[in-house]
Amino acid sequence: MSVPPAVEVDGLVKRYGTTTAVDGLSVRVDSGAVTALLGPNGAGKTTTVETCEGFREPDTGRVRVLGLDPRRDSAELRPRVGVMLQEGAGLYPGAGARELLTHLGRLHRHPLDVDRLVERLGLGGTGRTPLRRLSGGQRQRVALAAALVGRPELVFLDEPTAGLDPHARHSTWDLIGELRGDGVSVVLTTHLIDEAEQLADHVVIIDHGRLVTEGSPEELTSGPGDDVISFGGPPRLDLSTLRAALPESADVREVTPGSYQVAGVVDPHLLATLTSWCATNDILAEGLQVGRRSLEDVYLELTRRSAR
Amino acid sequence: MTYVPAPGAAPLTRMVAAQVLLEVRLLLRNGEQLLLTAVIPVVLLGLLTAVPVVDTGEYDRVDFLVPGILALSVMSTAFTSLAIATGYERRYGALKRLAASPLPRWALLAAKAVTVLVVEVLQVVLVGGLGLALGWRPDGAMAAVPLLLAGTAAFAGLGLLMAGTLRAEATLAAANLVYLLLLVLGGVVIPFGQFPDALRPVLESTPTGALAGGLRSVLADGDGLPWAPLVVLVIWAAAGTTAAARWFRWE
């Protein structure tokens, strides 16, 4: 028997009043893999995930989680799926971290050892402090632990590292790696490109509720025209003359003030065009570098294009 | 540590027991809630029994006060405290998160109901015990049980309606205001006879008025089950739970 996909979203449409949050999205999540839904704020990531969790009903389209309907088969599905809501929501404000996790564990048949889970997430020092008095980052980690304590086969993590300091973020990334190693399917949302790049086997970029592109991080950054030349110079250069000199297949933009990037089919001729334009305009191109585009470049270009 | 999947829901009885345990613990730990459910009833009973502030007419003060304070206790737990706690659980997404856990929704409501009853038993022991120590001699008791249950259902329906429709802050304010108003107007410590005659039927038709009046006729007058207050409470319970079921929003 073949393993069914962990999640299948097919033509999902979800509207709130006149706003269309998800607009015909189709996504397939492989079992045992880490899948990242990557997109800017308001792209429809949370709506998609909350539809999979059974909180929202699709207007049209079909959602299957572990082969089941998230709403109709909710009773069967809930013990098998771990849920972390956005912003570490979903915690009893008056309970302590250990107390809450022990409680959620009791709702499951074979819960994780709460003491070890608490230690693993660096929450050992919180003791009996009520959750409302913990820091945002600590609450975030409690919410993550809450998604795991029932030993689910699939977890939905909505922005699991939002608001975490760099140490906690890396620790969470390690933990997600351990989950994958133990065969847990992970669906996470993020607007952090490096997070998707580091963690995910499969990245699904969505914007305006639609699929922009998807693939492994390698696939997304290795297409034709995915090479770049980057260089530094004075900020706010007038790039119109350079743009005119470049071939059709290439374009230039100022990524951040004083940091420029030429993207397209990069060959020695293109490099010569660039350096000669620099010479004409008396620009010393600092840190000139030829290389592969990062996922960030792909993401920014694609989401900007879809914004038009 | 291993995260190898081993999913499964706990047996239903264990889930409900765990939920009751958590809810009772959170409630007893919360200072503001304890003020409403334990401190105010006990202080009012002790103080007003000792000091002749209110004219209790033909009744001994303690015989008049205990039924009223019991009604206040039920209101404080099943209405005020339930509404505030549930309102904040909703606001913090705890209800939403729990809806994604193996605990069925009806089991959460059942756990809340049991929690309310557990706290009420503690209150009856506390208030009744203090009353007995102060010389309270109840005439009947068993007929009080249906009244207490109907009152609990009436208050819980109204409390959940408020918690499930208003913002948490609005629920907090409104639930406290209602508590205060009905403490004064609901026949808890001031006999209905001291209000204008025109107002009396209105006050006796509030859940608190019906419960306090009904308990008083059982416990102080030694009457059998008083049907009029019971019917009033059942109507409130039906209206409140129906409205809560219709309009309660979980997030």
Side-chain angles (χ1 to χ4, degrees):
Chain A
M1 213 178 91
S2 68
V3 184
V7 178
E8 252 183 314
V9 174
D10 193 11
L12 174 65
V13 176
K14 184 71 199 173
R15 295 185 197 89
Y16 300 116
T18 56
T19 323
T20 303
V22 181
D23 191 5
L25 183 68
S26 296
V27 175
R28 190 190 147 99
V29 168
D30 285 332
S31 190
V34 176
T35 302
L37 299 184
L38 174 64
N41 292 326
K45 305 185 295 289
T46 295
T47 300
T48 302
V49 165
E50 293 204 337
T51 309
C52 296
E53 290 163 347
F55 289 123
R56 324 236 163 272
E57 184 134 38
D59 288 334
T60 55
R62 202 180 88 123
V63 175
R64 287 290 174 273
V65 174
L66 303 172
L68 299 167
D69 184 318
R71 289 181 79 87
R72 203 188 54 216
D73 307 317
S74 162
E76 192 179 338
L77 215 41
R78 279 178 285 139
R80 299 170 64 188
V81 176
V83 167
M84 176 186 182
L85 300 174
Q86 204 168 26
E87 291 166 350
L91 309 174
Y92 282 89
R98 192 182 306 266
E99 182 178 37
L100 180 80
L101 294 172
T102 304
H103 172 64
L104 290 174
R106 283 187 185 140
L107 304 180
H108 293 267
R109 198 172 286 274
H110 310 287
L112 291 176
D113 182 313
V114 169
D115 287 330
R116 294 179 66 187
L117 185 61
V118 163
E119 285 307 319
R120 174 63 185 82
L121 283 154
L123 295 164
T126 60
R128 290 163 176 275
T129 311
L131 289 162
R132 65 166 172 273
R133 281 204 231 121
L134 297 186
S135 72
Q138 286 171 323
R139 278 205 295 270
Q140 187 87 346
R141 279 175 279 156
V142 177
L144 173 61
L148 306 179
V149 70
R151 298 183 68 178
E153 51 193 279
L154 165 66
V155 290
F156 290 103
L157 310 177
D158 200 351
E159 304 202 344
T161 65
L164 294 187
D165 63 42
H167 281 295
R169 171 166 297 162
H170 278 96
S171 168
T172 300
W173 287 358
D174 290 344
L175 178 61
I176 291 171
E178 290 164 35
L179 291 176
R180 175 178 46 192
D182 284 340
V184 181
S185 309
V186 179
V187 177
L188 61 92
T189 71
T190 182
H191 56 257
L192 302 173
I193 297 136
D194 59 336
E195 183 158 288
E197 196 162 19
Q198 292 268 338
L199 282 182
D201 302 297
H202 192 76
V203 178
V204 178
I205 300 182
I206 62 178
D207 197 9
H208 301 291
R210 284 186 293 266
L211 178 72
V212 176
T213 187
E214 61 178 321
S216 68
E218 297 73 29
E219 285 164 357
L220 291 178
T221 55
S222 65
D226 280 339
D227 293 328
V228 289
I229 308 171
S230 45
F231 65 97
R236 291 183 300 281
L237 287 173
D238 177 10
L239 298 170
S240 56
T241 52
L242 174 57
R243 212 167 267 132
L246 291 174
E248 277 283 288
S249 61
D251 193 20
V252 61
R253 66 191 179 90
E254 188 168 5
V255 184
T256 57
S259 168
Y260 299 87
Q261 201 170 69
V262 179
V265 180
V266 172
D267 56 17
H269 182 71
L270 184 69
L271 184 61
T273 309
L274 171 64
T275 49
S276 98
W277 177 81
C278 287
T280 311
N281 292 280
D282 198 21
I283 296 159
L284 183 62
E286 294 160 18
L288 181 76
Q289 198 178 23
V290 179
R292 169 74 46 87
R293 288 204 302 175
S294 67
L295 186 58
E296 177 161 11
D297 301 325
V298 175
Y299 170 84
L300 289 175
E301 187 195 319
L302 290 173
T303 51
R304 191 175 44 242
R305 199 189 292 157
S306 80
R308 276 185 209 137
Chain B
M1 150 160 211
T2 172
Y3 303 98
V4 173
L12 201 53
T13 47
R14 202 171 90 195
M15 288 199 274
V16 174
Q19 189 67 32
V20 170
L21 212 67
L22 178 76
E23 305 244 351
V24 171
R25 267 205 318 266
L26 292 178
L27 239 166
L28 295 182
R29 194 186 297 159
N30 185 313
E32 295 93 354
Q33 306 272 32
L34 275 185
L35 183 71
L36 289 176
T37 54
V39 178
I40 292 180
V42 163
V43 167
L44 280 180
L45 179 58
L47 208 67
L48 297 181
T49 303
V51 187
V53 183
V54 283
D55 173 14
T56 56
E58 72 265 37
Y59 297 104
D60 274 352
R61 278 205 302 279
V62 71
D63 289 342
F64 173 85
L65 284 169
V66 170
I69 297 294
L70 284 175
L72 178 73
S73 302
V74 171
M75 171 167 72
S76 68
T77 300
F79 175 74
T80 319
S81 169
L82 180 68
I84 294 171
T86 308
Y88 276 94
E89 285 164 16
R90 176 166 160 261
R91 138 88 166 273
Y92 282 98
L95 294 181
K96 182 176 177 179
R97 175 61 187 77
L98 221 52
S101 82
L103 184 75
R105 207 166 258 188
W106 65 263
L108 171 63
L109 289 176
K112 282 194 175 292
V114 174
T115 303
V116 165
L117 292 175
V118 167
V119 175
E120 285 180 359
V121 167
L122 296 177
Q123 288 177 308
V124 168
V125 170
L126 196 66
V127 171
L130 178 62
L132 291 173
L134 294 173
W136 174 52
R137 294 296 170 261
D139 280 325
M142 288 321 289
V145 174
L147 287 170
L148 290 169
L149 290 177
T152 300
F155 284 123
L158 297 170
L160 289 176
L161 175 66
M162 199 177 256
T165 51
L166 303 180
R167 282 184 309 115
E169 293 80 0
T171 298
L172 177 70
N176 280 319
L177 180 67
V178 169
Y179 177 90
L180 193 66
L181 283 177
L182 288 178
L183 165 61
V184 176
L185 301 173
V188 172
V189 291
I190 304 172
F192 291 126
Q194 298 185 9
F195 292 99
D197 283 346
L199 211 54
R200 248 184 100 152
V202 179
L203 300 184
E204 283 175 345
S205 307
T206 62
T208 315
L211 184 57
L215 287 175
R216 202 160 284 134
S217 65
V218 170
L219 298 172
D221 302 337
D223 292 348
L225 189 59
W227 290 101
L230 186 64
V231 168
V232 169
L233 291 173
V234 168
I235 290 173
W236 275 111
T241 48
T242 307
R246 171 77 182 74
W247 285 297
F248 191 95
R249 293 183 53 85
W250 292 81
E251 47 174 298

